[in-house]
Amino acid sequence: MDSIISHLQAITRALPSPIADLGVSILGPDCYSLLIHDLAFLQQAPPYPEPLTICLKFAISKAIGLAIVGASSIIKLPQLIKLLRSKSAAGVSVVGTMLEAASYLIMFAYAARLSFPFSTYGEQSFLFIQDILVAVLLLIYSAQTLLAVGILLPAVAAASYYLLLASPGPSLATLQTLQAATIPLGLFSKLPQIVTILREKSTGQLSAVSVFAYFFGSLARVFTTLQEVDDNIILLGVGLGAVLNFVLVVLMIMYWNAKPVADSKKKD
């Protein structure tokens, strides 16, 4: 075993500078030295010394966080494809989608202003963009194209510019207030979708893949927030999101393949 570890150490200690620098930037110099340079977790049996335990938890959190960010770039793709194929907005709440998009934009702007690690919030940018695309399709398939193109998109562009690019932009106090507002906003973004499902007794064009992926992603985000972000407002927000996503998972299972009430009445 020692010879194997020695060979592995020879590889990790000879990594090209760009790769090593990236590792240091993600893990920090101390944890990089323990985990990558020295492979300390292979040389010691659990229970590990406290510094190594901390670094392992931190590395797991980073890996999960980066996986969430990567997966979030396509997490709404099944929903978008389902809408494009069906050309129907049935079962999907446009109000809930737009409220969710607003929440993601605010959380992204707040975390970026406080320079939190990108792995702890980067998915919010991708989810925001995808929510806007979903909202546009929902409006178009609800015969409200003018509202989508003439009002929604300009409003989104203006809000994005003000929160992310304007100089001077909103003060930190303003962002903190907006961040706190994302907690009830997150609640209200999910309620219309929950009400829509309960009213229609069907999930309509809501994508099961996206719902389940959202739920497991939100659970993972609670873990990474606990590990890397010392902010109770953010923790409360992601915790509430996980609970509401669980409710949607339960409803998705309850009304799996159920036809909307309106369709059932038409057949009768």
Side-chain angles (χ1 to χ4, degrees):
M1 184 64 179
D2 290 341
S3 62
I4 294 175
I5 294 175
S6 296
H7 285 301
L8 291 174
Q9 284 178 332
I11 295 173
T12 59
R13 292 175 179 179
L15 289 173
S17 294
I19 296 177
D21 291 343
L22 177 62
V24 171
S25 67
I26 294 174
L27 297 174
D30 294 336
C31 286
Y32 180 85
S33 178
L34 275 174
L35 299 177
I36 307 300
H37 191 269
D38 295 335
L39 299 176
F41 59 95
L42 294 179
Q43 301 181 60
Q44 302 181 49
Y48 297 120
E50 185 177 1
L52 182 54
T53 299
I54 293 173
C55 284
L56 283 171
K57 289 182 179 178
F58 183 70
I60 292 171
S61 176
K62 282 294 184 184
I64 292 174
L66 291 172
I68 292 172
V69 173
S72 70
S73 64
I74 59 170
I75 197 171
K76 289 259 183 179
L77 188 58
Q79 181 67 78
L80 289 165
I81 291 174
K82 196 167 185 179
L83 289 172
L84 288 168
R85 285 178 175 173
S86 67
K87 299 188 184 305
S88 167
V92 187
S93 169
V94 65
V95 173
T97 300
M98 289 193 289
L99 288 174
E100 185 178 73
S103 179
Y104 284 136
L105 177 60
I106 292 170
M107 288 190 291
F108 182 84
Y110 176 74
R113 173 66 68 87
L114 293 181
S115 299
F116 289 143
F118 186 75
S119 61
T120 64
Y121 72 91
E123 77 277 5
Q124 290 155 8
S125 60
F126 296 114
L127 293 173
F128 165 69
I129 293 170
Q130 290 170 90
D131 266 344
I132 295 303
L133 293 176
V134 169
V136 168
L137 289 177
L138 291 174
L139 289 173
I140 290 174
Y141 295 145
S142 300
Q144 300 182 74
T145 302
L146 182 59
L147 178 60
V149 178
I151 298 179
L152 175 61
L153 292 180
V156 167
S160 301
Y161 177 80
Y162 174 66
L163 290 174
L164 301 172
L165 300 174
S167 181
S171 65
L172 180 57
T174 299
L175 282 176
Q176 288 173 331
T177 301
L178 290 173
Q179 176 65 28
T182 63
I183 296 173
L185 195 61
L187 173 63
F188 290 125
S189 72
K190 292 292 190 298
L191 283 181
Q193 184 63 72
I194 293 171
V195 170
T196 297
I197 295 173
L198 291 173
R199 183 181 64 244
E200 299 186 6
K201 299 188 183 305
S202 167
T203 56
Q205 302 308 315
L206 190 64
S207 168
V209 175
S210 294
V211 169
F212 280 91
Y214 250 62
F215 172 60
F216 289 113
S218 62
L219 284 182
R221 181 51 76 205
V222 170
F223 172 76
T224 61
T225 301
L226 285 169
Q227 293 297 315
E228 299 185 57
V229 178
D230 185 18
D231 193 307
N232 290 330
I233 296 177
I234 290 181
L235 179 60
L236 182 58
V238 296
L240 176 62
V243 171
L244 294 174
N245 285 328
F246 175 71
V247 173
L248 286 176
V249 165
V250 172
L251 292 176
M252 178 63 69
I253 295 172
M254 287 176 58
Y255 295 111
W256 194 273
N257 288 330
K259 294 181 180 179
V261 172
D263 290 348
S264 300
K265 288 182 179 177
K266 285 179 183 178
K267 290 187 178 181
D268 295 339

